[in-house]
Amino acid sequence: MSIPQINISDYDYQLPTGRIAKYPLENRDQSKLLVYKNLHISHTRFFNLPEQLPHNSLLVFNNTKVIRARLEFFKSTGARIELFCLEPYEPSDAALAFQSLGEVQWQCMVGNQKKWKEGSLFATSQTTQGDIQVVATLIKKLSDGAIIQFKWDDAAITFSEIMEGMGQTPIPPYLEREAEDIDTERYQTVYSKYQGSVAAPTAGLHFTDEVLETLAQRNISLIELTLHVGAGTFKPVKTDTIDQHEMHTEHFEVTVNALRQIAEHDGPVIAVGTTSVRTLESIYRAAILLSQNRPHQNVQQWDGFEQVSDMPKAEALKLLIRHLHSQQQPAFKASTSIIITPGYQFKVIDGLITNFHQPRSTLLLLIAALIDENWKAVYDYALNNDFRFLSYGDSSLLLR
């Protein structure tokens, strides 16, 4: 394995605070779209995306749904404690956790934790069935949070309904504002389906039903997968070199039907968002691990930098499909902490639709892996042409 030695300082740029979009545009598809194609940079509006895509493209979307993960509780003394739900603990399956009745455990970040030494916390969830009292109890402290038990006094109400009735949308910290009513709808893609993310797959925020319809009319193939985005997506790189940085782990699911479509597609595969990239490249790496009779359901950080296999994408994914059939599994469920930096050899994707990312971030390294040093020209162009940056900012189409 050849782990890249990369100085994170080489992936820095000046991002003025005023260029960070703190609110979404009134219309999703009116955002600017930078187009990087054949080493040429231009721009248009996002609603023109269908005509910018290569012929016979396959677009891959992440259909995860952002949950109202920020929960406000109070001690009996009145002190406020915020619990930020990161991922389910018991049950650990997201679907089961959201459908839990009466009790569930989650791994959480705890705000104002110094004021919570002992005892339970209390809150009220305003559900469609009326006000429900919720009690939070600290089960176990962790190095980066805690395991929290939530119990409520109506066993007919699911935890999903509890969150909807009391939670706030977890907008990114760099927006430097509290969540507002507009975020409930706009920090969510129009095609979101499966609850589990604490951050939106923001490349998808620009799509409207009209754009999706136009794509279908142009015979652009559209498929979906699911990766639940964790808070680690905002984890800054604090080390001088990327080999010292520890990537976060996220869980994903890709159906056998989706795997088959990707395997059999003979045109460009375009990922909608970096989360889709990480999932698509992870399923290839998982297939290679499977071919080597190695554990394959937890793709590790540097698996993409092992000696690159010559196995074609189609052959690798069909191997994975046969394995799933033998196990009578309708989908491949796994986790990934894969990192994609310059030096990475892409095996599945040919292009990417994505927003503009923070300086010195692993997401910017992924962009550089895709288009090499040309990332600097792309970001200079965006800065010089009044593009809006980060989650609620403008978009780009980057083709290898």
Side-chain angles (χ1 to χ4, degrees):
M1 182 185 301
S2 179
I3 295 177
Q5 303 297 307
I6 294 174
N7 293 320
I8 194 64
S9 60
D10 292 338
Y11 297 86
D12 199 2
Y13 69 94
Q14 293 299 314
L15 177 59
T17 303
R19 302 305 293 277
I20 299 173
K22 294 201 170 185
Y23 291 90
L25 294 179
E26 182 177 353
N27 297 311
R28 293 175 184 261
D29 60 11
Q30 290 294 319
S31 60
K32 290 182 179 180
L33 176 69
L34 181 148
V35 180
Y36 173 84
K37 185 189 304 184
N38 298 324
L39 302 180
H40 177 71
I41 304 172
S42 62
H43 74 270
T44 180
R45 294 286 175 180
F46 193 84
F47 58 78
N48 290 319
L49 171 70
E51 65 188 45
Q52 297 293 332
L53 292 169
H55 174 70
N56 195 29
S57 290
L58 168 66
L59 259 58
V60 183
F61 297 83
N62 181 5
N63 62 17
T64 188
K65 191 170 187 176
V66 180
I67 60 175
R68 296 191 183 188
R70 293 188 180 276
L71 308 179
E72 185 178 64
F73 280 82
F74 295 89
K75 294 177 59 177
S76 56
T77 60
R80 175 184 175 276
I81 306 290
E82 182 183 91
L83 302 180
F84 186 174
C85 294
L86 297 177
E87 61 181 60
Y89 183 76
E90 181 58 45
S92 59
D93 180 85
L96 294 177
F98 287 116
Q99 293 305 309
S100 292
L101 300 171
E103 180 181 335
V104 71
Q105 293 183 17
W106 276 68
Q107 180 181 339
C108 300
M109 290 171 58
V110 182
N112 211 9
Q113 188 167 3
K114 291 181 179 179
K115 292 189 176 181
W116 188 20
K117 302 292 185 183
E118 58 183 13
S120 297
L121 305 177
F122 305 90
T124 300
S125 178
Q126 298 175 329
T127 75
T128 56
Q129 304 301 313
D131 289 354
I132 304 296
Q133 299 305 306
V134 186
V135 179
T137 304
L138 177 63
I139 300 298
K140 180 182 179 182
K141 288 186 178 180
L142 305 173
S143 59
D144 56 351
I147 304 300
I148 305 295
Q149 178 193 67
F150 297 99
K151 296 186 74 171
W152 52 100
D153 56 8
D154 188 331
I157 297 291
T158 66
F159 189 62
S160 176
E161 293 171 289
I162 293 293
M163 295 186 99
E164 285 294 308
M166 67 177 291
Q168 286 191 322
T169 302
I171 59 173
Y174 49 65
L175 295 185
E176 296 183 342
R177 64 175 177 83
E178 293 295 320
E180 301 177 21
D181 289 345
I182 191 173
D183 300 307
T184 302
E185 175 192 359
R186 294 303 298 278
Y187 197 60
Q188 199 83 265
T189 64
V190 298
Y191 50 80
S192 63
K193 290 183 177 68
Y194 302 111
Q195 295 185 98
S197 283
V198 299
T202 54
L205 297 181
H206 308 278
F207 284 86
T208 60
D209 291 333
E210 290 76 15
V211 171
L212 293 172
E213 183 177 345
T214 303
L215 289 167
Q217 290 172 352
R218 286 178 171 264
N219 294 319
I220 300 293
S221 299
L222 314 176
I223 66 170
E224 298 178 358
L225 48 74
T226 306
L227 179 140
H228 292 313
V229 189
T233 192
F234 300 119
K235 184 179 180 181
V237 179
K238 295 182 178 180
T239 58
D240 293 332
T241 56
I242 198 61
D243 57 293
Q244 299 172 320
H245 178 73
E246 183 180 352
M247 282 292 285
H248 56 288
T249 299
E250 293 171 317
H251 300 272
F252 67 86
E253 179 175 343
V254 188
T255 66
V256 167
N257 286 338
L259 289 170
R260 184 177 293 108
Q261 283 182 269
I262 298 166
E264 295 176 352
H265 187 74
D266 60 359
V269 176
I270 312 295
V272 179
T274 57
T275 59
S276 295
V277 174
R278 296 180 74 238
T279 305
L280 289 168
E281 295 297 318
S282 293
I283 58 176
Y284 176 86
R285 303 297 164 181
I288 297 304
L289 292 171
L290 176 63
S291 73
Q292 298 168 349
N293 294 315
R294 296 164 61 189
H296 64 281
Q297 290 189 300
N298 304 99
V299 178
Q300 301 300 309
Q301 176 164 336
W302 298 108
D303 281 349
F305 287 88
E306 287 197 355
Q307 185 174 359
V308 177
S309 171
D310 292 328
M311 186 180 296
K313 171 191 71 178
E315 183 180 340
L317 298 193
K318 287 178 180 178
L319 172 68
L320 184 57
I321 291 168
R322 289 195 297 272
H323 173 74
L324 293 170
H325 278 314
S326 71
Q327 301 294 312
Q328 297 183 318
Q329 296 295 322
F332 180 49
K333 296 182 179 181
S335 67
T336 182
S337 57
I338 195 171
I339 189 169
I340 297 175
T341 73
Y344 180 90
Q345 295 188 30
F346 289 92
K347 288 296 188 176
V348 181
I349 73 156
D350 301 289
L352 167 64
I353 297 168
T354 189
N355 288 20
F356 295 91
H357 304 291
Q358 289 181 297
R360 303 171 68 97
S361 65
T362 57
L363 300 180
L364 188 57
L365 289 173
L366 187 153
I367 301 305
L370 186 70
I371 60 173
D372 302 318
E373 286 295 301
N374 298 306
W375 76 266
K376 295 177 182 178
V378 165
Y379 273 64
D380 284 344
Y381 185 99
L383 288 166
N384 293 330
N385 286 274
D386 297 323
F387 276 67
R388 303 161 78 243
F389 278 61
L390 307 187
S391 293
Y392 275 143
D394 293 315
S395 186
S396 66
L397 169 63
L398 309 175
L399 299 174
R400 293 171 63 195

